[in-house]
Amino acid sequence: MAVPLKWSDLCLTREVGSGQAGTVWVAKLKRAYLRLEKDSQVAVKLFRPWVLEQPGQYERIYRELETGRHVVHPNLVRTLGLVADERSLPALVMEYYDGESLQEYLARNREAGDPIDFDKALDIVAGVAGALKALHDNGIIHRDVKPGNIMLTPSGPILMDLGVVATEHSAEMTTSGIFLGTIRYGSPEYLFGETYDFKVDIYSLGAILYELVTGLEFIAEESQWARMIARKRIEIEWSWNQDLREALESRVGLNCVEFFRTALDHSLTDSSSRDLGLGDFATAISEKYWRREFHFADGKFHSASPMFEPLGSFENSERTVSI
């Protein structure tokens, strides 16, 4: 059995991220731990004291630790342990991933005016979809899927920050008036404190797919949070017009555009119609369904034309006859 990590086992080397809730540092291990050798790099999340004073924050940290330990997927962050830092406050130790955030990647491409390769865009989405499917299969909702929480590494995208995950048994699943997450990528029912389920993550993934393929920021025309929320309630549609469609068709082709449009039609929509199956979506991407005939039914992409009964066919008790 591995000896638990202590703060004294870590040597912080540099800060790599800072947010409202705290900071993330890279640290070296002073001793081997689990499958990591001595001097291996890990990431350490330090929390601001005021954050820890918020109701339920310690429970969220514990859920983040347990989720990252027990839900194993190549595109999901792994948590390693929880230690008390030099202030006697909890610090979360995670695997370190070398790369840049999807937010940084998208911003750089927008500034340069470089469209992202269609296959690469969908490969990123497929990896995140697989990680979300693993969470959902374990009764866990991420609730904050956004470009800033996706790390692009040489081995693929990593879905990070499990700090606001909810489980089937979490009290926050039914608490209204509390929003934990990011407004631009949040689903309408979650933003309005209504009953929600795993489909909130599907909505967020659709917004990310939109940004990767079009190169445009989702709901870019709104920067003020109240108007952004109001628009999501009044107009629960993604931005689509003839100019954008024609531009995409000329760049990636009609079949790719139809695959993209179909995915968004079943993710950036009202919860009752949000039926994009994440596991099957990832499979459809890996098998490149957009390069051949496909159709969508029962939440899945199918690699074939839809089957229709011939016009004029009828059934009797013995056989079907086409006329």
Side-chain angles (χ1 to χ4, degrees):
M1 183 175 180
V3 177
L5 272 180
K6 297 180 180 179
W7 182 252
S8 57
D9 295 322
L10 305 170
C11 177
L12 271 58
T13 57
R14 69 184 190 279
E15 182 180 322
V16 292
S18 180
Q20 187 177 18
T23 58
V24 177
W25 287 73
V26 175
K28 280 188 176 182
L29 290 175
K30 295 181 181 179
R31 65 173 175 88
Y33 180 67
L34 299 178
R35 65 184 182 282
L36 298 177
E37 299 178 352
K38 179 184 177 182
D39 293 329
S40 294
Q41 293 190 119
V42 295
V44 182
K45 182 189 288 190
L46 304 179
F47 299 92
R48 304 192 194 284
W50 70 266
V51 172
L52 298 172
E53 296 173 0
Q54 303 304 306
Q57 185 57 40
Y58 279 87
E59 289 82 359
R60 293 183 198 113
I61 294 172
Y62 181 75
R63 284 202 299 270
E64 181 172 10
L65 170 66
E66 291 303 297
T67 299
R69 271 180 169 177
H70 297 299
V71 183
V72 179
H73 189 276
N75 299 106
L76 185 67
V77 61
R78 292 297 308 276
T79 54
L80 302 174
L82 193 64
V83 301
D85 67 15
E86 56 192 3
R87 307 165 297 172
S88 297
L89 298 179
L92 188 67
V93 183
M94 304 165 287
E95 286 204 8
Y96 170 71
Y97 301 95
D98 189 18
E100 66 175 338
S101 73
L102 179 57
Q103 181 178 355
E104 294 168 329
Y105 178 72
L106 287 167
R108 192 174 70 252
N109 279 271
R110 287 191 194 110
E111 185 176 352
D114 294 333
I116 297 170
D117 177 77
F118 189 75
D119 285 37
K120 180 172 183 177
L122 289 191
D123 283 344
I124 292 171
V125 171
V128 178
L132 288 173
K133 177 68 162 50
L135 289 174
H136 296 171
D137 286 348
N138 283 273
I140 298 168
I141 307 172
H142 189 282
R143 300 199 298 179
D144 197 17
V145 181
K146 61 181 181 181
N149 282 342
I150 298 169
M151 183 69 67
L152 301 182
T153 75
S155 59
I158 305 294
L159 179 60
M160 306 289 292
D161 200 347
L162 306 175
V164 297
V165 298
T167 70
E168 294 172 335
H169 307 293
S170 168
E172 288 176 350
M173 288 291 292
T174 55
T175 299
S176 62
I178 298 175
F179 174 70
L180 300 169
T182 303
I183 291 173
R184 186 175 302 279
Y185 303 94
S187 69
E189 70 271 20
Y190 185 37
L191 293 173
F192 278 83
E194 299 169 356
T195 300
Y196 64 90
D197 58 18
F198 65 91
K199 291 182 180 181
V200 300
D201 291 340
I202 297 176
Y203 181 96
S204 301
L205 186 69
I208 290 170
L209 172 63
Y210 174 84
E211 294 196 350
L212 278 164
V213 173
T214 66
L216 304 172
E217 187 178 37
F218 186 58
I219 315 183
E221 57 273 27
E222 297 292 356
S223 58
Q224 207 280 333
W225 67 267
R227 286 197 297 267
M228 193 182 303
I229 293 176
R231 175 172 170 182
K232 287 185 181 233
R233 171 56 75 206
I234 296 169
E235 182 188 346
I236 185 170
E237 295 180 356
W238 46 285
S239 299
W240 184 247
N241 56 58
Q242 189 63 27
D243 290 342
L244 177 57
R245 182 188 182 96
E246 291 177 355
L248 286 175
E249 283 185 11
S250 66
R251 178 163 68 87
V252 300
L254 177 60
N255 226 47
C256 294
V257 170
E258 285 305 303
F259 186 88
F260 165 70
R261 181 192 61 78
T262 301
L264 295 193
D265 281 346
H266 294 269
S267 57
L268 294 180
T269 185
D270 187 82
S271 177
S272 61
S273 303
R274 201 180 304 150
D275 60 348
L276 183 67
L278 295 181
D280 293 289
F281 183 41
T283 298
I285 292 173
S286 66
E287 296 184 4
K288 302 186 186 303
Y289 280 14
W290 63 87
R291 292 185 176 176
R292 53 188 185 271
E293 288 187 323
F294 68 85
H295 70 280
F296 188 91
D298 301 321
K300 302 178 183 179
F301 283 91
H302 300 267
S303 179
S305 298
M307 297 295 293
F308 297 103
E309 285 294 321
L311 291 176
S313 67
F314 65 90
E315 287 190 9
N316 58 28
S317 59
E318 297 180 353
R319 61 194 176 97
T320 299
V321 180
S322 297
I323 59 175

